[in-house]
Amino acid sequence: MWFLGWTYLQQDQQRTEAEAYRRAEASTQAYESYILRALQQIDQLAELVAGNAQLTRSDESLTTLLQQALQHQPSLGSLYVTDEQGEVVAAALSKGKVTAAGSAADRLYFQVHKERRVQGLYVGQPAIGRVSRSWVIHLSRARFHADGAFAGVVVATVNPQYLVDFYNEAQFGQRGLVSVTGIDQVLRARRSGTALQFGDHGGQTALARQIEKSPKGVFLGKSHVDGVLRFISYRVVPQYQLVVYTGLASDEVFAHYQIRSERLIEFLSAATFFICLVTAGLTLLAIRLEQSRRRASLAEDRFQAAAHAQLDPFMMLAAVRLEDGGLSGFRCDLANPRAQQWMGDTGASLVGQVVEPLMPAVLRPHLGRLYAQALNTRTAIEDEFSWHTPQGDVRRVVQQIVPVGDGLAITLRDVTQAHAREQLLQEQRAALEKSERQLLAITNNVPALIACVDLDLVITFVNDTYQHWYGPDATPPLGKALSEHWSPALCEQRMPYVERALDGERVEVLVTSETTGGLRTLQNIYIPDWSSDSVVQGVYMLSFDITDFKRTEAELSRLLYQDALTGLDNRLRLNEALPQAIARARRSGRHIGLLFLDVDRFKSVNDTHGHAIGDEVLKKIARRLTLAVRETDRVVRLAGDEFVILLEDLGSPQEADGVAAKIVEQFKAPLALDKMALQVTVSVGVACSDGTTAADGKELLKLADTQLYVAKAAGRNAFASKEA
């Protein structure tokens, strides 16, 4: 019995450890997804800003872009952009305003990007923010010029606590652990309970030694921070040079096991005592049976031995009759030791005593009726009842009543523990069903389409989001193969990624799909379903609708390059287009022309008629300029009443002069507004180049600006030109 108990405890301990590792692995996998999703969103935002930012100090457009980007990432504390020297050229805070100033040249993240030690997003070490004056983590991405030269960095800051908000006490206990550290062994963020640490250098810790062996795994280790022994699961995230890991405190994991172990040992000790007691009683009974062997028959001896050998209480009762033959009660003719204990061992034998006075008073009417019924009907009866012991415990008992001659054979069995175990099983089953309902409720309410397929690619689960996307009348495709549910085009598009997930790879892919809400952009994640023996048994398929994010991204790009008032290209677009046009002219041998326009005495229009009329005048001028040039020419509003026209593929500089003269002539006709006609003239400066005399667009633009002032000095409403 003790060997079986020890074996059970060993197996229970092994199961508890295995379950702890499984929970830790599941938590780490979910935490890795949480970190990847958060960093990828920030990385996409930083990449958008890096791709569009220009090296213009205090540029209002760039600052506006940063502020709009922050509105879509409320978790960020700030966004700023530096040039190749580390000087901050534009910045935005999620709370408050900041002027672009200062330098990041001494920051580690700037040096890492400048030396090109990393590609993509770099998760920096915790540091004190120079604006917020609080601990932050810098998430940075390098910017590059068109020729590939380093142009500076785009930096987003987050509170270190943001990286460990995944922690919750219900999942990890009071001393569990959620942490993310760098491959450089510098802690980015760590949370255990309410304690938060960051910035420590780990050194040669147990985790570092494990990472050297494998990029992911589990182990049991003691923390050098708080000394707590935990079941640790870790995963290396190579694209961000990070390690994510979670842990469950060993003492919390084994709490229920310790209780079960103590209870089992108590039970085994009590059972050993009772077995020894029964053995002693049986030995005494054997001596007494030997002494009475000559007075009893062989059948009597065998019956007595069988009765006394029973582990359950057993009694033989004889009917006590009145003179008229009526039943008066029952007398005990035989009682085994367990029956003696059951009836209350007072030192006196039960044999020969009337049993009614020995019964609990509350049970006497019930037992009296049953005994009389069994004796009169000669029918065996099985009955269950409960009663309170003198110690205050409630005991449940099953008794068998069998008529034997003019008496009864009574067998009693204590089923209290069996009933308690059954009730515990029912409670555990109810708790499991409740947990399944809660999990299903959560799954059906997350903003993602979740499905599961088995090894045969048959759909085994689909959450309620399916009907939200495809309509309430859409029937979930449970039991269907993916090849039946998906169209041939979708199978060709997505099946290779599903097959990679079946091979054990976590796969992410952006696709488009038609739903009841129209064409949507989806981020699909395919996760292998690993069994306990590390065999893929299916695939979890998650689809996130990122259509609104993509629309916002496109709108930000449009706002970045378009003038809000006139709809023309803005300075940023010109800064990109002009060097490209010069390069094309250099290759083709053709000329390009740059017309720098200024509205004559535009300030008087605003002063006389108001800014609303001034805006309408600018729109009319933009429209007239667009109609005056070719579709291949580019009309740009620099700022205020200044416009630039870029002419390409010119045979000679005189063609640019002809366009300038045409534009001046166009403005001899008044502008027709809603309630008036307004006479407006323009002055034009013309610069022309074949691409070999201008190193970049700035020189050509400066030359056109100079000619503009020549035209104004000549009396306005004219143009002046010069070839570079």
Side-chain angles (χ1 to χ4, degrees):
M1 181 179 65
W2 279 93
F3 174 77
L4 291 176
W6 176 81
T7 302
Y8 170 79
L9 289 178
Q10 290 294 107
Q11 294 175 348
D12 193 16
Q13 182 181 9
Q14 294 173 359
R15 286 193 298 269
T16 302
E17 291 178 354
E19 175 65 16
Y21 282 126
R22 187 193 65 77
R23 287 173 52 200
E25 284 183 312
S27 299
T28 300
Q29 186 174 359
Y31 184 41
E32 179 190 30
S33 299
Y34 169 82
I35 290 294
L36 283 175
R37 186 164 57 253
L39 294 182
Q40 286 169 356
Q41 291 175 355
I42 296 173
D43 192 10
Q44 291 173 357
L45 185 64
E47 185 176 8
L48 172 65
V49 175
N52 297 314
Q54 298 297 321
L55 300 178
T56 304
R57 292 182 177 273
S58 302
D59 189 278
E60 183 177 353
S61 302
L62 182 55
T63 302
T64 301
L65 174 63
L66 296 180
Q67 291 172 344
Q68 292 174 342
L70 276 181
Q71 294 176 1
H72 295 276
Q73 284 291 340
S75 57
L76 299 182
S78 65
L79 267 175
Y80 58 91
V81 179
T82 77
D83 60 17
E84 62 270 20
Q85 303 301 323
E87 298 297 325
V88 178
V89 298
L93 293 178
S94 61
K95 297 181 180 179
K97 296 183 178 179
V98 65
T99 301
S103 174
D106 61 334
R107 291 291 197 177
L108 176 61
Y109 61 81
F110 181 82
Q111 298 168 5
V112 165
H113 287 300
K114 185 174 183 180
E115 297 171 6
R116 303 199 179 191
R117 284 184 270 167
V118 298
Q119 294 182 351
L121 188 71
Y122 173 67
V123 182
Q125 300 176 4
I128 296 293
R130 291 172 173 167
V131 175
S132 63
R133 312 309 300 170
S134 60
W135 284 96
V136 296
I137 292 180
H138 297 87
L139 308 174
S140 56
R141 169 177 275 278
R143 299 192 304 113
F144 299 98
H145 290 298
D147 59 358
F150 178 69
V153 295
V154 177
V155 186
T157 64
V158 296
N159 190 305
Q161 186 172 356
Y162 171 71
L163 298 180
V164 290
D165 280 344
F166 183 79
Y167 185 96
N168 67 84
E169 188 171 314
Q171 182 177 358
F172 294 99
Q174 296 181 349
R175 298 202 293 171
L177 174 66
V178 168
S179 182
V180 56
T181 188
I183 297 298
D184 55 7
Q185 295 301 312
V186 176
L187 185 65
R188 289 341 188 235
R190 177 186 188 274
R191 181 176 175 184
S192 176
T194 58
L196 180 68
Q197 292 92 25
F198 46 85
D200 298 334
H201 194 286
Q204 290 299 318
T205 62
L207 176 62
R209 293 190 292 271
Q210 292 292 330
I211 294 174
E212 292 177 357
K213 300 177 183 177
S214 174
K216 64 178 181 179
V218 294
F219 65 96
L220 181 65
K222 181 177 289 187
S223 171
H224 72 283
V225 177
D226 53 18
V228 176
L229 185 65
R230 294 185 176 91
F231 292 93
I232 301 295
S233 172
Y234 68 91
R235 283 174 175 260
V236 176
V237 186
Q239 61 266 46
Y240 297 117
Q241 296 293 297
L242 298 176
V243 181
V244 297
Y245 56 98
T246 64
L248 301 174
S250 175
D251 54 351
E252 293 180 342
V253 168
F254 283 106
H256 293 293
Y257 165 80
Q258 293 294 341
I259 295 174
R260 293 193 298 270
S261 175
E262 293 172 359
R263 288 180 178 175
L264 181 58
I265 293 174
E266 291 175 357
F267 170 79
L268 292 176
S269 300
T272 301
F273 171 78
F274 285 120
I275 289 173
C276 293
L277 185 63
V278 170
T279 302
L282 290 176
T283 303
L284 178 61
L285 181 59
I287 296 174
R288 292 177 61 184
L289 287 175
E290 185 63 25
Q291 292 174 349
S292 61
R293 184 179 295 277
R294 286 176 289 177
R295 298 190 301 270
S297 64
L298 182 59
E300 177 79 10
D301 290 341
R302 291 178 177 176
F303 175 76
Q304 290 281 351
H308 284 76
Q310 281 202 57
L311 296 179
D312 293 327
F314 175 77
M315 296 181 294
M316 291 293 296
L317 304 183
V320 178
R321 301 286 182 177
L322 299 174
E323 293 182 358
D324 58 2
L327 184 62
S328 173
F330 292 91
R331 181 186 68 251
C332 181
D333 280 352
L334 175 65
N336 69 356
R338 295 298 297 271
Q340 185 80 24
Q341 297 172 9
W342 183 267
M343 299 300 289
D345 193 352
T346 60
S349 175
L350 291 176
V351 178
Q353 296 189 47
V354 178
V355 297
E356 281 81 356
L358 302 177
M359 299 176 182
V362 69
L363 296 177
R364 290 174 192 171
H366 174 69
L367 296 179
R369 286 193 300 271
L370 287 178
Y371 292 170
Q373 178 183 347
L375 187 62
N376 294 333
T377 61
R378 314 302 297 173
T379 303
I381 297 175
E382 185 171 304
D383 176 54
E384 182 175 346
F385 62 90
S386 60
W387 65 292
H388 293 270
T389 66
Q391 292 77 23
D393 299 328
V394 177
R395 303 178 71 176
R396 300 182 68 88
V397 181
V398 174
Q399 66 172 344
Q400 290 181 329
I401 308 168
V402 180
V404 179
D406 194 22
L408 302 171
I410 308 295
T411 303
L412 303 171
R413 178 166 297 170
D414 189 343
V415 295
T416 304
Q417 293 183 353
H419 185 272
R421 287 194 295 270
E422 181 180 354
Q423 185 176 6
L424 178 60
L425 287 175
Q426 292 177 350
E427 293 174 353
Q428 291 175 341
R429 190 178 299 111
L432 179 60
E433 292 174 354
K434 180 180 179 181
S435 177
E436 291 178 349
R437 290 195 303 271
Q438 291 174 340
L439 180 60
L440 186 60
I442 293 172
T443 304
N444 285 333
N445 286 278
V446 295
L449 177 60
I450 302 175
C452 300
V453 297
D454 58 18
L455 283 176
D456 298 324
L457 297 182
V458 175
I459 301 172
T460 59
F461 172 80
V462 176
N463 68 347
D464 288 351
T465 304
Y466 180 86
Q467 291 179 313
H468 295 333
W469 284 12
Y470 298 101
D473 297 331
T475 302
L478 295 177
K480 285 187 177 181
L482 284 180
S483 57
E484 299 176 14
H485 177 58
W486 283 349
S487 66
L490 286 181
C491 286
E492 181 180 0
Q493 178 192 53
R494 304 182 186 180
M495 197 63 75
Y497 300 103
V498 177
E499 292 173 352
R500 286 168 56 186
L502 283 175
D503 291 336
E505 180 183 355
R506 184 183 185 276
V507 184
E508 294 192 22
V509 60
L510 286 179
V511 299
T512 57
S513 181
E514 187 69 36
T515 68
T516 55
L519 192 64
R520 312 296 290 178
T521 301
L522 306 179
Q523 181 180 19
N524 285 355
I525 303 176
Y526 302 139
I527 304 171
D529 178 12
W530 295 96
S531 64
S532 57
D533 52 355
S534 300
V535 175
V536 177
Q537 57 188 4
V539 176
Y540 298 113
M541 308 173 67
L542 290 77
S543 295
F544 297 90
D545 188 348
I546 60 171
T547 306
D548 292 339
F549 174 78
K550 288 296 183 181
R551 289 173 180 168
T552 302
E553 184 180 34
E555 180 64 16
L556 286 175
S557 178
R558 185 187 66 80
L559 293 175
L560 185 65
Y561 290 105
Q562 190 178 79
D563 179 59
L565 177 63
T566 63
L568 298 177
D569 290 341
N570 61 10
R571 181 188 293 270
L572 287 177
R573 180 65 75 186
L574 179 64
N575 289 342
E576 286 188 358
L578 188 52
Q580 297 171 2
I582 292 175
R584 285 192 292 270
R586 187 181 301 118
R587 290 193 300 268
S588 65
R590 305 284 287 177
H591 286 73
I592 64 169
L594 200 64
L595 278 60
F596 202 128
L597 292 83
D598 182 275
V599 181
D600 296 332
R601 298 180 179 87
F602 181 71
K603 184 176 183 301
S604 64
V605 174
N606 281 333
D607 294 342
T608 304
H609 303 285
H611 288 281
I613 295 299
D615 290 345
E616 288 299 317
V617 168
L618 292 176
K619 293 179 183 179
K620 293 289 185 178
I621 291 174
R623 177 63 178 168
R624 188 168 289 186
L625 291 176
T626 303
L627 294 175
V629 298
R630 299 169 298 181
E631 291 184 358
T632 57
D633 297 329
R634 188 182 299 274
V635 181
V636 178
R637 182 191 178 201
L638 285 186
D641 60 336
E642 294 178 342
F643 295 85
V644 169
I645 299 177
L646 175 60
L647 308 174
E648 291 192 61
D649 198 25
L650 301 178
S652 65
Q654 287 72 28
E655 292 185 24
D657 292 346
V659 175
K662 178 181 177 182
I663 290 174
V664 172
E665 183 67 23
Q666 284 276 354
F667 284 93
K668 289 184 177 180
L671 295 177
L673 303 178
D674 289 341
K675 298 181 179 180
M676 68 179 72
L678 195 62
Q679 183 66 51
V680 175
T681 62
V682 297
S683 299
V684 184
V686 183
C688 200
S689 171
D690 60 0
T692 60
T693 57
D696 56 29
K698 292 181 180 179
E699 181 180 344
L700 194 61
L701 187 63
K702 182 178 180 181
L703 181 58
D705 189 22
T706 301
Q707 293 305 305
L708 171 64
Y709 282 100
V710 171
K712 283 185 174 291
R716 295 184 173 85
N717 192 20
F719 74 92
S721 66
K722 186 175 183 181
E723 183 178 358

